[in-house]
Amino acid sequence: MAEPVVRIPDAKVALSTASVYPESTATAFEIAARLGYDGVEVMVWNDPVSQDIDALRRLSDHHRVPILAVHAPCLLITQRVWSTDPWTKLQRARAAAEKLGATTVVVHPPFRWQRQYARDFVRGIWRMADETDVRFAVENMYPWRYRDREMLAYAPDWDVTKDDYRHFTIDLSHASTARTDAMQMIDRMGDRLGHVHLADGNGSAKDEHLVPGRGSQPCAELLERLALSGFDGHVVIEVNTRRAMSSAEREADLAEALAFTRLHLASATKVPRS
């Protein structure tokens, strides 16, 4: 009987700098290097280092950890980071990605109250994507819920598969919060799935970003499908470690997430030894 051989998939596994919050962007590079991540995704937010291209390049060079993606400052808490104009934010994110050698810019759909930006968003993302080799990967979001009320906070829609984008980011924690079937969403994305935010969830109204394997989302199934399909994007660990009681506990969570990801990427790629 032929013995199985593990073929290592091409997808790189990166650490989102958001995964170490409330520690710093610099700490994320240190942890990524120590644990053996293939790179980082920089979440551009209120940490000044995350906004500074030269500082990021120095961190990348010092730790020998490449920057694989840049997450544009799309959060409520980053409304004034890199300008208050959303298109300027995306232009700066693209410029940062190009200068840092990142292949992807992650962007959220607009908030519903950003009316002009929302009206032009789909066309504008296509226009920007045509001007660069960097992928603009638009990320699925979720309805905001409070008790029995639901608010549709994003436009054109939190379900980005309802609109026409060149590349998508799937976030499994967001799919969990939306209470939607993540694998069906991935089917709709098809070969336009360009980027993955790997995290788990249990369907809470709050965006949980659990360590993969600690919730009910199909994290293992997704990774196995990516490996078998020859996925050429990045798998980014984006988890919430704010409840960690120490730096050691936070690092243990991130080591567990990396081990889970590599295991399930490799488990689907066993081929018979000839």
Side-chain angles (χ1 to χ4, degrees):
M1 182 179 295
E3 296 180 9
V5 176
V6 175
R7 182 179 63 231
I8 303 300
D10 293 331
K12 293 182 177 179
V13 183
L15 177 65
S16 169
T17 59
S19 295
V20 307
Y21 183 82
E23 297 197 54
S24 67
T25 300
T27 299
F29 279 85
E30 295 172 13
I31 293 175
R34 193 155 50 241
L35 296 181
Y37 278 84
D38 297 319
V40 300
E41 174 179 301
V42 174
M43 172 67 81
V44 180
W45 55 4
N46 297 329
D47 182 347
V49 171
S50 74
Q51 306 169 30
D52 187 328
I53 293 172
D54 290 335
L56 292 169
R57 184 182 290 113
R58 286 194 295 271
L59 282 169
S60 177
D61 290 345
H62 176 72
H63 293 288
R64 298 182 181 180
V65 173
I67 297 169
L68 302 180
V70 173
H71 195 308
C74 310
L75 307 176
L76 281 173
I77 63 171
T78 61
Q79 289 186 85
R80 296 186 178 277
V81 172
W82 280 359
S83 168
T84 56
D85 176 66
W87 291 115
T88 300
K89 291 173 182 285
L90 295 191
Q91 290 163 0
R92 292 191 64 173
R94 179 190 67 191
E98 291 171 341
K99 291 176 182 177
L100 294 167
T103 60
T104 302
V105 168
V106 178
V107 56
H108 293 179
F111 293 113
R112 188 165 292 275
W113 54 86
Q114 296 174 300
R115 294 181 181 177
Q116 185 61 48
Y117 179 45
R119 277 195 294 269
D120 297 339
F121 185 69
V122 178
R123 290 190 302 272
I125 289 293
W126 272 100
R127 184 172 60 250
M128 293 190 73
D130 285 338
E131 296 170 352
T132 181
D133 291 331
V134 173
R135 293 177 172 181
F136 280 88
V138 185
E139 183 174 4
N140 63 301
M141 298 305 291
Y142 47 86
W144 291 2
R145 294 190 180 92
Y146 179 71
R147 295 181 179 172
D148 58 347
R149 297 184 179 182
E150 183 174 287
M151 174 184 174
L152 300 179
Y154 299 96
D157 204 284
W158 63 264
D159 181 352
V160 293
T161 65
K162 293 182 177 180
D163 292 286
D164 181 27
Y165 301 108
R166 181 172 293 170
H167 291 106
F168 294 108
T169 297
I170 183 71
D171 184 304
L172 268 68
S173 179
H174 294 176
S176 175
T177 303
R179 298 169 189 166
T180 192
D181 187 308
M183 299 307 291
Q184 289 182 9
M185 179 172 280
I186 290 164
D187 287 340
R188 296 195 297 274
M189 291 178 175
D191 60 8
R192 291 183 292 171
L193 175 61
H195 200 69
V196 173
H197 280 170
L198 192 68
D200 219 327
N202 284 311
S204 168
K206 296 181 179 179
D207 186 18
E208 296 172 283
H209 283 275
L210 304 177
V211 170
R214 296 185 185 178
S216 59
Q217 288 303 292
C219 297
E221 183 180 352
L222 166 62
L223 292 169
E224 290 164 9
R225 181 181 295 192
L226 294 179
L228 291 172
S229 67
F231 177 70
D232 64 352
H234 305 313
V235 178
V236 178
I237 303 300
E238 190 184 73
V239 296
N240 184 346
T241 62
R242 278 175 283 184
R243 293 186 177 181
M245 300 300 291
S246 65
S247 296
E249 184 177 334
R250 173 173 292 109
E251 192 162 326
D253 284 346
L254 298 177
E256 179 183 331
L258 178 60
F260 179 99
T261 304
R262 293 210 190 281
L263 172 65
H264 289 286
L265 280 174
S267 65
T269 58
K270 291 183 178 180
V271 296
R273 188 193 300 274
S274 56

